[in-house]
Amino acid sequence: MRTYKRKTDRGNTPKDVFDRACQQVIYDKKSINSTAKEFSIPYKTLQRHVVKMKKILESNPELTRSQLTLESTGYTKNRQVFSDEEELSLENYLKRAADIYYGFTPYETRKFAYEFAKKNKKSIPDSWNKKLIAGEDWLGSFMKRHPSLSIRCPQATSLSRATSFNKNNVNLFFDNLKIVYQRLNLSPGDIWNVDETGLTTVHVPNRVIACRGIKNLGKMTSAERGTLVTVAVAISALGNMVPPFFVFPRVHYKEHFIRGGTVGSDGDANPSGWMKEDNFKKFSKHFVKYVKPSKEKPVLLLLDNHDSHLSIEVLDYFKENGVTVLSFPPHCSHKLQPLDRTIYGPLKRYFNKACDNWLASHPGKTITIYDIPELVKTSLPLAATIDNIQSGFRVTGISPLNENVFPDSEFSGSYVTDRPTPDFPISALPTASVTNSAALLTSQARPSHDPGNDTDAAFLISDEFDMPISTLHTSCEMPCILDAISGTNEDKGFKTPEKSPVTQARSLNMPSTSFNLPEEIRPFPKAGPRLENKKNIRKRKSTIYTDTPEKENLMELKIKQQSRKTLTKKSKKPKIMEEKFKGASKGKGKGKKAFHETNKRNNDEDKSDEDDTFCLECTESYSLSIPGEEWIQCTTCKLWAHAKCTNGNILFYECKNCTSDFED
């Protein structure tokens, strides 16, 4: 009876009508029959309510006529397991879990509802105790009572993207953007963004109309697996666009590769089909040719931190021609890059439609990499319209400049790793007794009316207990000490962690709620403290790379990379997790043979490419890998990535570039 609909209006008579009718029978001595006809109430129903009211009057004879009322009338709703306050806390808990990218599935919600009921000692149905889970009927009713909740299909989001997009990284980017704005006096036509995307010869077919009930429905594509071609596009905040630049998976580039493409488009070749430093050098000349910047009329170029963009030769060339290069924070391009926000999504859809039309007009033929420029010529103008380009710069807060474009809810994903970086090794953490004593003395030594004493109290107590002030702040949860020393948390881009109502009430010695909150039963996931002694050589930040100090730092890093390459006697290849493949190659040995043939073919291809191998996820070159670090190969494009960066996808790993081509 989950979707039962009432067929009558019985039980809908208001309570005040029953009160007046019963009062007339008791005080005015009218008959039940005449009163029932007067108020349009069934005789037996009115008789039953009159008996109830007389019992109330007998137990409380001092009640007057206006005070004599019935307790309840009509049908009562089914018994709820949780009270309204408990359900509200459960609703807020589910919303918060979804905001930090750890949302509950319907099954997990039912399991947690059972735990929540047992922890609060609620009276639950026997089926819950038998199956150790809440029923489907409860979940359906709970969703109806809270219409703000709905069952959604989430988008897969990597941990790097979710945690790197935080206030600290975003504020640093906008600080650099303000500096460039003031330095160059930029207008919308002087702000450019460049990025690459991959297009394959095998597209994702659009939906078709077919017979209902057919399970296997197909549509024609070129092949089972496609060949990737990289397309680099540059757009400005005014709505202009540079002709596209293509990188083909070939050793040598020929002019006929871009035959049929957009007028003014150019290209280059690379055995892998991805953008490398040599390809980006050619693109930089292509960009300067059409934008025509100069030192008298400088422009700003926004791009990501990929190694192919950080060539010293390219940065020098850009600086000579009046191009200032500013990079986005790592793993934040999905929020901060205009091309990713409003251009590349529609481009993939229009490209799929163009492929469908091409196959329909060329029956029996397949799409090759040399047909992609012609398809891009058709689809790119439909995606890169003036409105789409301008809205991309507007929603990212780049033009017009708006550093507050992202609300606090956008940074919820970084909650899991939102933790301070310690200034000391983990082994030097103070014991609980020392920390508590320091916190107590600090709170006693700091008068509430004089914020200036915060600094003195912090330094005195940190010297007494021989601990850094940051340790005292982190361990004792006293943000006022850090605020007095280095500014407020909001000025530094950090947010003080919110405490639950129960925690706040206990800290203030106030009475808390009468039940256990959901976050106390199952706290939100939180990563542990960072290790100070672990060097993260892959980490980058938003940087103005054309500035001399930044360019010199980058040059030192490049020199170290070259020195490590010269010490290597033969070309390094990533370690394969062979023990993981041994189980998959049992039997006749065909899997193992094919695996070694694939490695041999890839080794032959890599011999023609003098560049180092780069990780597809974090873009770190193999020459900078930690000794003994394991790598894994993409099953589609045959390129490499750290095993640690693949989130445990060991046997059948497919990189985000290959999967995004089909998902978008």
Side-chain angles (χ1 to χ4, degrees):
M1 308 299 290
R2 297 173 186 170
T3 58
Y4 175 79
K5 295 182 180 179
R6 294 192 61 179
K7 301 177 179 61
T8 64
D9 294 333
R10 296 178 60 184
N12 289 336
T13 306
K15 180 176 175 293
D16 59 335
V17 176
F18 276 108
D19 290 339
R20 294 199 305 270
C22 293
Q23 289 169 4
Q24 283 188 11
V25 174
I26 296 174
Y27 289 100
D28 298 339
K29 306 300 182 181
K30 287 187 176 182
S31 66
I32 297 177
N33 191 15
S34 60
T35 307
K37 292 180 180 179
E38 179 183 353
F39 288 93
S40 300
I41 300 174
Y43 174 83
K44 285 293 183 181
T45 303
L46 181 58
Q47 185 183 28
R48 186 173 65 253
H49 284 80
V50 168
V51 173
K52 290 181 180 179
M53 185 170 283
K54 287 181 178 180
K55 290 181 178 180
I56 296 175
L57 185 60
E58 290 176 359
S59 60
N60 298 295
E62 69 277 1
L63 293 177
T64 62
R65 179 169 181 169
S66 59
Q67 295 174 345
L68 185 61
T69 59
L70 295 170
E71 294 180 356
S72 63
T73 60
Y75 295 110
T76 59
K77 65 178 182 178
N78 294 331
R79 178 180 59 84
Q80 274 186 210
V81 176
F82 303 110
S83 64
D84 294 338
E85 186 181 4
E86 291 169 342
E87 286 202 347
L88 181 60
S89 65
L90 184 58
E91 176 189 7
N92 295 332
Y93 178 78
L94 294 175
K95 289 180 180 179
R96 177 62 176 167
D99 289 340
I100 64 175
Y101 299 162
Y102 284 90
F104 282 53
T105 64
Y107 181 81
E108 292 173 345
T109 304
R110 292 165 54 201
K111 290 285 288 185
F112 181 72
Y114 172 75
E115 297 177 10
F116 188 43
K118 295 294 287 184
K119 190 70 175 179
N120 289 287
K121 300 179 180 179
K122 308 295 291 186
S123 176
I124 58 178
D126 295 336
S127 60
W128 289 30
N129 288 323
K130 182 178 179 181
K131 299 180 180 179
L132 303 180
I133 187 174
E136 294 182 3
D137 291 339
W138 173 85
L139 180 61
S141 302
F142 176 77
M143 299 290 289
K144 289 180 181 179
R145 290 192 295 270
H146 301 275
S148 60
L149 298 176
S150 63
I151 300 176
R152 308 284 298 277
C153 183
Q155 182 180 1
T157 306
S158 65
L159 182 65
S160 300
R161 281 194 171 190
T163 58
S164 296
F165 187 74
N166 53 60
K167 281 191 174 183
N168 187 30
N169 289 339
V170 173
N171 289 342
L172 178 60
F173 168 74
F174 279 106
D175 289 343
N176 291 332
L177 188 60
K178 287 179 185 178
I179 294 174
V180 178
Y181 259 99
Q182 297 172 359
R183 182 190 302 173
L184 304 181
N185 193 18
L186 296 173
S187 62
D190 302 329
I191 304 173
W192 291 82
N193 173 222
V194 62
D195 191 31
E196 305 90 14
T197 187
L199 299 176
T200 64
T201 55
V202 176
H203 68 290
V204 180
N206 290 320
R207 292 178 295 179
V208 298
I209 298 176
C211 181
R212 183 184 297 273
I214 295 180
K215 294 183 178 180
N216 297 323
L217 180 65
K219 191 172 182 181
M220 195 66 64
T221 58
S222 295
E224 294 293 335
R225 291 185 178 180
T227 305
L228 184 91
V229 175
T230 299
V231 182
V233 180
I235 57 175
S236 72
L238 193 61
N240 298 326
M241 181 177 62
V242 171
F245 184 87
F246 300 89
V247 179
F248 294 90
R250 292 292 181 267
V251 177
H252 303 289
Y253 172 74
K254 304 295 181 182
E255 292 295 335
H256 67 83
F257 287 0
I258 58 173
R259 184 184 304 167
T262 307
V263 177
S265 60
D266 201 354
D268 203 359
N270 188 288
S272 64
W274 295 101
M275 181 74 76
K276 296 293 183 69
E277 284 192 7
D278 293 337
N279 308 125
F280 196 71
K281 291 176 185 177
K282 188 173 181 180
F283 172 81
S284 63
K285 298 178 182 178
H286 175 75
F287 176 80
V288 172
K289 175 183 176 182
Y290 287 96
V291 178
K292 294 181 173 58
S294 62
K295 292 186 177 181
E296 293 75 20
K297 188 182 178 181
V299 299
L300 171 64
L301 182 61
L302 301 169
L303 41 72
D304 55 34
N305 280 293
H306 196 272
D307 281 344
S308 62
H309 301 158
L310 305 181
S311 171
I312 302 298
E313 183 178 346
V314 171
L315 295 178
D316 290 337
Y317 177 77
F318 276 147
K319 192 171 184 179
E320 292 173 359
N321 289 274
V323 180
T324 300
V325 177
L326 173 61
S327 67
F328 295 108
H331 306 292
C332 295
S333 59
H334 64 294
K335 294 284 189 180
L336 290 173
Q337 185 156 243
L339 280 167
D340 284 339
R341 293 295 299 269
T342 59
I343 303 299
Y344 282 155
L347 174 61
K348 297 293 180 68
R349 292 193 292 269
Y350 286 119
F351 180 79
N352 291 335
K353 293 180 181 179
C355 291
D356 281 336
N357 297 335
W358 192 95
L359 290 174
S361 59
H362 298 80
K365 295 184 178 180
T366 60
I367 299 175
T368 64
I369 60 175
Y370 311 114
D371 298 318
I372 289 182
E374 181 181 356
L375 298 173
V376 172
K377 179 182 179 181
T378 305
S379 55
L380 184 58
L382 299 176
T385 61
I386 294 179
D387 292 339
N388 284 357
I389 294 175
Q390 291 179 349
S391 63
F393 283 90
R394 182 175 61 255
V395 298
T396 54
I398 296 175
S399 179
L401 183 61
N402 182 13
E403 58 183 339
N404 299 319
V405 68
F406 299 107
D408 292 340
S409 59
E410 292 282 351
F411 303 102
S412 299
S414 62
Y415 169 84
V416 65
T417 56
D418 185 14
R419 63 261 174 111
T421 302
D423 299 331
F424 51 92
I426 296 299
S427 59
L429 275 172
T431 60
S433 59
V434 175
T435 304
N436 295 337
S437 302
L440 178 62
L441 289 175
T442 306
S443 60
Q444 294 175 353
R446 184 183 65 252
S448 58
H449 64 275
D450 188 6
N453 290 337
D454 290 343
T455 307
D456 298 335
F459 278 108
L460 289 174
I461 296 170
S462 63
D463 291 340
E464 179 180 352
F465 287 90
D466 193 20
M467 68 172 69
I469 295 181
S470 58
T471 310
L472 187 62
H473 163 70
T474 304
S475 303
C476 305
E477 297 182 353
M478 297 171 60
C480 51
I481 300 177
L482 184 64
D483 297 345
I485 298 171
S486 56
T488 62
N489 288 341
E490 287 74 16
D491 294 339
K492 297 298 180 182
F494 295 102
K495 184 179 180 181
T496 304
E498 298 179 356
K499 298 181 180 179
S500 64
V502 174
T503 307
Q504 293 177 356
R506 290 172 180 170
S507 62
L508 298 175
N509 294 325
M510 295 174 58
S512 61
T513 56
S514 58
F515 59 92
N516 295 308
L517 291 174
E519 52 265 29
E520 292 183 329
I521 300 173
R522 186 182 297 184
F524 295 114
K526 193 72 172 178
R530 294 185 181 92
L531 299 178
E532 180 67 18
N533 55 358
K534 183 177 180 180
K535 296 182 179 180
N536 190 356
I537 58 178
R538 309 170 194 165
K539 188 175 180 180
R540 289 197 176 102
K541 59 182 180 179
S542 177
T543 308
I544 307 175
Y545 279 107
T546 47
D547 287 356
T548 302
E550 302 296 341
K551 191 171 63 173
E552 290 179 353
N553 294 336
L554 182 62
M555 188 179 298
E556 293 179 1
L557 180 61
K558 295 287 184 181
I559 293 174
K560 291 180 180 179
Q561 293 179 3
Q562 293 298 330
S563 61
R564 293 188 63 175
K565 289 181 182 179
T566 55
L567 294 176
T568 306
K569 296 182 180 179
K570 56 182 180 179
S571 67
K572 291 184 176 181
K573 292 305 295 178
K575 275 190 178 181
I576 311 298
M577 304 182 71
E578 295 184 358
E579 61 276 6
K580 297 294 182 181
F581 287 94
K582 286 180 181 179
S585 59
K586 290 181 179 180
K588 298 181 180 180
K590 293 181 179 180
K592 190 171 183 180
K593 181 179 179 182
F595 175 71
H596 287 295
E597 288 179 355
T598 304
N599 285 341
K600 181 179 179 182
R601 183 164 60 253
N602 291 334
N603 290 337
D604 294 337
E605 292 178 358
D606 291 336
K607 288 179 182 178
S608 60
D609 187 8
E610 296 179 358
D611 293 334
D612 200 357
T613 303
F614 293 91
C615 175
L616 290 172
E617 301 290 340
C618 65
T619 70
E620 180 201 350
S621 62
Y622 180 72
S623 59
L624 293 178
S625 295
I626 301 173
E629 194 168 19
E630 295 172 326
W631 288 57
I632 191 69
Q633 189 180 36
C634 175
T635 58
T636 302
C637 61
K638 306 302 180 185
L639 298 179
W640 300 92
H642 291 95
K644 185 188 300 183
C645 297
T646 59
N647 296 328
N649 298 329
I650 297 173
L651 288 178
F652 303 102
Y653 165 63
E654 193 171 14
C655 65
K656 60 183 179 182
N657 301 298
C658 297
T659 55
S660 61
D661 293 334
F662 298 96
E663 291 174 356
D664 294 337

